[in-house]
Structures are given as structure tokens and as C-alpha cells.
Amino acid sequence: MNAIRQLHHALKINRTLVHYGLDEFLAPTPLARFRPLAKLFSLSLRRKAKDKSRGERLRLALTELGPIYVKLGQMLSTRRDLVPPDIADELAKLQDQVPPFDSNIARSIVEKQLATAIDDVFSNFNDTPLASASIAQVHEATLNSGEEVVVKILRPGIRQKIMRDMQMMHSMARWAEKYSSEARRLRAIEVVKEYDSTLAREIDLRIEAANTSHLRHNFENSDLLYVPKIYWDYTRVKMLVMEKISGIPIGNIEALRTSGVDMKALADRGVEIFFTQVFRDSFFHADMHPGNIFVNVSNPGAPQYIAIDCGIMGTLDENDKRYLADNFLAFFDRNYRRIAELHVESGWIDADVSIPEFESAIRAACEPIFGKSLAEISFGHFLIQLFQTARRFNMQVQPQLVLLQKTLLYIEGLGRQLYPQLDLWQTAQPYLKQWVREQIGPKAMFEDIKRQFPDWLNKAPKLPGLLFDNLHRVGHSLNQFEQLKSQFTELERHKLQQQYALKHAFIGGSLAILSGISYLAVPTDWWPAAILGAGAGWFLIKSLWPTK
């Protein structure tokens, strides 16, 4: 039965794709021979949107296939390192507006999740959805305590629908990569796997709630960004209850101007929020499209951002941050050799790659960008150029950097929509340089030592005492030995000399081991290892030439 459903679903997808003439994507590949078969099983030769570009036709086909495919298109629009620009530009236009599901079903889901009647929790529950998307819809409500909230509810049956669609997508990706070198180049299996992972996080609303709480904590008492409160007592896998916010949608430029908002300050503060999330917190909102951002205009001269929908978040480790900062700074210094070296140092490109050749490729990709003014240079497009060039040298995709690229493109586009003269470099450069200075100062070095050698730091205070106690015991043993030595006959003296040599060999070997451990624990502080090593050598020499 499951196989029959999969076959029916595959035929539906094939029919839609053929109707929009998307079988043309097979033409330059070995799969071209399957085009007649695809047309045959579409059961129709009718074509839609013949006069439109391939990007437009793909966008329309995904919209017709349904919300899961719309979200796939949205995700693909951010993968400009894989998708041609004309297609990426069209897919970026996809709007995820879906008809709402019945409010009685919404109420039923809430009551099942809370295991109580809806009136026991809410004094008011608005049956008309505030917003409706492919994964969930949102209702306004009021808690019995009087607090105004919004309730986000997963669509009924969405898990099963996603599982069915993802099984089909995985099968199609495997099939495509098996028969098409183009699909292998575009890493179809990897793209579908990434999409599957994203959806898995989005259908557990506790993950979104936890992300929201974390971001709220990072910007607690900040006048830059406000993140609404999560009501954990009423949050479950299929529902999330969050503080209701009020503000002007950031896409409503006219309303912002009418409210007297300083648009340059608003754009600059958006850039500051982004770089603060990335470089201070290593935790950034990776879905900052206009629908998820509002503005508190109570202080028009210093407008405050409000962020919602934290289902997709990005994280960076210290190496990622250092890589990004150094690359941005090297790029604006036109130091292409340093960019090439950074890729090798990070381990993302094999060390045997020719640095001069890689440098030349980066120069060819990036130099044309400098034909523009700094205000026109796009950080996001710089990353796209960089990733595309690096892929030719077998750089593996770094998912966290792809998320960051997507977010940076959102921020740039939004910032220049708010204030067309926005000079992102002028705004970001001081922040980046300050961060880099902090990374190489004494405080940063100390923090680095703490991260790398926590065990050594815990044991370091005990090392002098342990060393003194052991040397004291060695000295005491030697004194006792010298006192006893004179009381024995020559034969006994010879035996003692053997024991004496063995004892020195044992002590020397122990000190040699301690020396090795000391050096491995703290290679930068060589002197303890040197002292222990010298002692080891002395005792070993004594074991070879014992005193007669």
C-alpha cells in the first residue's frame, strides 16, 4: 500500500513538472533519454506558462505542489553556491501563504496537548488565525491571568505529510545522483538531507521555544533587540505560547517613516544586531526575513528591533568566527593570498592545494567587486563568490556558513531597503577589527589556554607540592642508603651497588616520564619539562656509573 502511495505521489510530481516544461533540466544530462518517458507518464502534453523563464516556471510548479515544496524552494534560494542566479532570484520570491485550517481543529489540538479544556487556560481564544503558514498557524489569545499571548499550533497531519514527501525527495535525490553528474555536482542528496534536518527542527515547537528563550537571554535589557517571552507551562511539541508583541512590520517602510523613525539608525542597528549575534554570542537568528521582524517605534531616534519565529538558528564556533573576520578583513585589504591561506589553515581545503593557484582564482572572482563603491559591495555576494571558488578546489560545504550567508543576504537587502546609502563595511569594519584585537590580546590567550588545558589548570597548583614531596622522598632514601653502605662487607657492597644503580635507573625513568607528561600538557611552558628531563639524565648516568 505504501509503495502504491509513493508511486501515485511520484506521478503527481512528474505531471506538474512536465506541465511547466521543467523536463528541460534533463536536456544537458545523461537523463535526457528519459524525457519522452516523463512526458508519457504525465498523461498530458499540455504546457503551462510557456512564455515564462525557467526560474518562474520552477517557482510556479513548487507553489502548485504544495507548502513543503514551497519551503524547499525557499531553502534552495539561499544556496547560491549550488543554484544558478536566475533560478535563485525567482525562488526568493516564493511567499509561504497557506489557507488556514479549521479553528475547531486548532482548539482540539490545544486541548489534547494541554490535557485540559481550553477555557481552563485561556479566558479568550480568537478563532480567526493571526497568520497561517505551511507548518503552523498562529492565534491570538488571553491567559486566565490576563496576559495577552499568541498560540502557535502545528498543522494537523503535518508530520506524516513531511515524512511522505521527504521519503520521495530522498529517493529522487539518490536516483538523480546515480545517473547525473550535474546532480552530483549540485550535491542533491546533501541538499535534501539539509532540508530534512531543517523541517525536523521546525515540527517540534519546543526547539523553537528554547531558541527564543536563549536569544532573549542574550539580549536581556538591550535597547537594540527585544525577544518575546515564552510561557513554558503551556508549550508542547505541537503548540507554543508566547508573549504577544506590538510593533510595525519592518517591511512597512511608509509606516516607519510616518512614525518619524531615523531610517539610517534603524539600518545601522540592524547590522550591529547581526554582528553581535555572530561574533559575541555565536548564536544567530537564521530566518530574519521581513515577516519575522518588527520595530518598536516608541523611541524613533533609537528604534528597537523585535524578533519572532526562532525555529531556525545558526551557531558558530571560535574557528568559524575567526575565519569569517579574517576573511572579511583580508578581502577589503585585497589580500587574496591570506584568504587562500585561511582556507587551508581551517582544514576546509587540502593542504596540498597550490596556494598561488587558489589565490589567483580568488582574485579573479573578487577583484571585479571592487569596481563598485564600498556602499555597493555586498558581504553576502562576497561569500557566495568565495564559496563558489573554493568549491572548485574541493572545499566541502559548511552548513553553518551557508546559514550565515543566507542571513547576511537578508540583512543587507533589508538594510539597503531601509536606507539605500547604507555602507555595511563602514558599519561593520570597526566591530570586526575590535573583535580580532580582542582575540589576540592577553585576555584571549588566557581564555584559549583555559579552553584547551582545563585538566592541566586543575592540577597545576598541585604540581610544585607533588614535585617537592617526591624529591624529598628521593633525598631521604639516598641518605639512608649512604648510612647503611659503610656497614656492609665488600660482597654486600657490590649487591648494594646493583640496587643503587637500579634505584637511580628507576628514579631517572620516572623523572623522564614526568618530563614527557609535563611537555605534552603545556608545550608552551618548556622549563618544567627541561628541569625534569635534566634530573632524569643525571639519575640515568648515575645508574650506569655507580659510585664505588
Side-chain angles (χ1 to χ4, degrees):
M1 183 63 70
N2 186 54
I4 293 174
R5 287 199 200 97
Q6 290 286 342
L7 178 61
H8 178 266
H9 197 52
L11 289 172
K12 176 186 174 184
I13 294 170
N14 177 70
R15 182 168 60 252
T16 302
L17 296 180
V18 170
H19 280 183
Y20 283 96
L22 298 177
D23 53 302
E24 73 176 54
F25 286 114
L26 301 178
T29 75
L31 298 177
R33 63 181 183 274
F34 292 108
R35 289 182 72 183
L37 196 61
K39 289 180 179 179
L40 176 65
F41 280 101
S42 71
L43 304 180
S44 173
L45 297 177
R46 181 170 56 90
R47 291 282 297 272
K48 295 182 179 180
K50 292 181 183 179
D51 57 333
K52 298 189 182 300
S53 69
R54 62 177 186 172
E56 290 178 287
R57 286 183 278 118
L58 178 58
R59 173 172 58 82
L60 292 170
L62 292 176
T63 302
E64 187 172 308
L65 285 170
I68 302 303
Y69 293 88
V70 167
K71 289 191 74 69
L72 174 64
Q74 290 177 325
M75 189 271 289
L76 285 174
S77 72
T78 70
R79 295 302 305 268
R80 292 171 183 263
D81 57 324
L82 301 176
V83 178
D86 62 314
I87 293 178
D89 289 341
E90 274 300 323
L91 295 182
K93 298 176 183 178
L94 283 169
Q95 297 298 314
D96 197 7
Q97 295 299 319
V98 181
F101 58 88
D102 188 87
S103 60
N104 289 324
I105 296 176
R107 284 175 170 265
S108 173
I109 293 172
V110 169
E111 291 185 336
K112 286 180 180 177
Q113 290 290 289
L114 296 177
T116 188
I118 202 166
D119 294 338
D120 292 341
V121 177
F122 303 103
S123 60
N124 177 58
F125 185 89
N126 192 336
D127 286 333
T128 302
L130 184 65
S132 178
S134 58
I135 300 294
Q137 69 185 34
V138 177
H139 292 257
E140 296 174 290
T142 305
L143 293 172
N144 284 332
S145 57
E147 292 145 302
E148 293 189 340
V149 297
V150 293
V151 184
K152 187 171 184 177
I153 307 166
L154 283 185
R155 285 186 167 271
I158 192 66
R159 287 175 180 273
Q160 293 76 9
K161 180 173 177 56
I162 287 174
M163 287 177 62
R164 183 196 68 192
D165 287 345
M166 290 313 305
Q167 284 177 356
M168 178 61 62
M169 287 184 188
H170 282 295
S171 298
M172 291 171 65
R174 287 192 297 269
W175 184 80
E177 283 206 10
K178 182 177 180 180
Y179 293 103
S180 169
S181 59
E182 182 69 9
R184 289 192 292 274
R185 186 188 71 80
L186 295 177
R187 299 175 184 263
I189 292 175
E190 178 188 299
V191 169
V192 172
K193 186 177 179 180
E194 179 185 333
Y195 180 51
D196 197 354
S197 176
T198 299
L199 285 177
R201 291 192 298 271
E202 288 198 63
I203 59 175
D204 185 344
L205 293 182
R206 295 172 303 178
I207 294 175
E208 179 180 336
N211 291 338
T212 304
S213 290
H214 190 172
L215 189 62
R216 177 181 170 86
H217 172 73
N218 288 346
F219 283 87
E220 199 166 8
N221 301 320
S222 168
D223 65 345
L224 286 173
L225 177 67
Y226 183 80
V227 181
K229 172 186 174 183
I230 294 293
Y231 289 85
W232 282 104
D233 288 346
Y234 313 116
T235 293
R236 303 288 189 274
V237 173
K238 295 183 179 180
M239 66 174 286
L240 178 156
V241 179
M242 181 177 68
E243 170 190 2
K244 182 183 176 182
I245 55 98
S246 61
I248 296 175
I250 195 140
N252 194 341
I253 307 294
E254 188 60 37
L256 292 172
R257 287 184 175 143
T258 301
S259 300
V261 169
D262 183 335
M263 302 303 282
K264 181 180 186 305
L266 183 62
D268 286 344
R269 288 164 77 85
V271 174
E272 184 178 353
I273 289 168
F274 170 75
F275 282 99
T276 299
Q277 289 183 73
V278 171
F279 288 101
R280 185 195 72 184
D281 303 329
S282 306
F283 185 77
F284 61 93
H285 196 307
D287 198 20
M288 292 189 74
H289 62 73
N292 289 337
I293 306 173
F294 297 81
V295 181
N296 175 359
V297 298
S298 58
N299 183 359
Q304 183 186 43
Y305 281 75
I306 305 170
I308 62 170
D309 196 352
C310 299
I312 305 174
M313 303 296 290
T315 59
L316 299 175
D317 62 24
E318 294 302 316
N319 290 333
D320 291 332
K321 291 191 293 185
R322 186 62 177 268
Y323 161 85
L324 284 168
D326 285 349
N327 266 289
F328 283 142
L329 294 172
F331 169 69
F332 281 99
D333 288 338
R334 300 196 185 189
N335 189 348
Y336 302 120
R337 184 173 187 84
R338 180 59 186 147
I339 294 175
E341 290 170 346
L342 284 166
H343 279 70
V344 175
E345 290 172 10
S346 68
W348 294 341
I349 288 181
D350 291 339
D352 58 0
V353 163
S354 167
I355 292 293
E357 185 180 346
F358 190 25
E359 174 191 358
S360 177
I362 294 171
R363 177 178 287 106
C366 297
E367 193 66 22
I369 295 175
F370 283 98
K372 304 177 181 179
S373 69
L374 280 176
E376 295 177 304
I377 292 176
S378 164
F379 270 30
H381 285 102
F382 159 62
L383 283 182
I384 291 170
Q385 294 276 60
L386 192 58
F387 293 165
Q388 287 176 337
T389 302
R391 286 292 293 276
R392 286 165 39 205
F393 290 81
N394 296 320
M395 174 180 167
Q396 294 300 308
V397 170
Q398 304 294 317
Q400 73 280 18
L401 295 187
V402 171
L403 273 180
L404 182 120
Q405 170 198 298
K406 162 192 167 183
T407 307
L408 192 50
L409 286 169
Y410 277 151
I411 294 294
E412 281 189 315
L414 186 59
R416 287 177 176 152
Q417 183 183 4
L418 297 172
Y419 185 71
Q421 296 79 34
L422 173 68
D423 186 340
L424 190 66
W425 174 238
Q426 188 67 31
T427 305
Q429 187 185 37
Y431 197 97
L432 289 172
K433 287 187 173 179
Q434 176 64 27
W435 184 83
V436 170
R437 279 196 297 270
E438 289 174 355
Q439 295 307 297
I440 61 177
K443 181 180 177 182
M445 291 177 65
F446 179 71
E447 292 297 325
D448 193 47
I449 289 172
K450 281 205 303 185
R451 279 193 303 272
Q452 294 187 48
F453 306 115
D455 292 338
W456 178 82
L457 284 174
N458 289 333
K459 296 175 182 177
K462 302 176 184 178
L463 285 178
L466 292 171
L467 185 58
F468 177 80
D469 290 344
N470 279 287
L471 290 176
H472 179 73
R473 282 196 290 269
V474 169
H476 182 67
S477 297
L478 290 175
N479 286 335
Q480 285 183 321
F481 176 76
E482 292 295 337
Q483 291 171 8
L484 290 169
K485 193 166 57 171
S486 61
Q487 301 175 19
F488 290 90
T489 64
E490 188 64 29
L491 180 59
E492 292 168 330
R493 186 180 175 84
H494 179 68
K495 290 180 180 178
L496 273 175
Q497 282 182 339
Q498 290 181 325
Q499 294 174 10
Y500 181 94
L502 287 172
K503 183 171 288 189
H504 277 78
F506 174 76
I507 295 170
S510 299
L511 287 175
I513 292 170
L514 281 173
S515 173
I517 292 171
S518 176
Y519 181 74
L520 289 173
V522 193
T524 54
D525 288 346
W526 55 268
W527 58 268
I531 292 173
L532 290 169
W538 185 83
F539 277 106
L540 289 171
I541 290 171
K542 291 286 287 182
S543 71
L544 292 173
W545 289 282
T547 304
K548 292 184 180 180

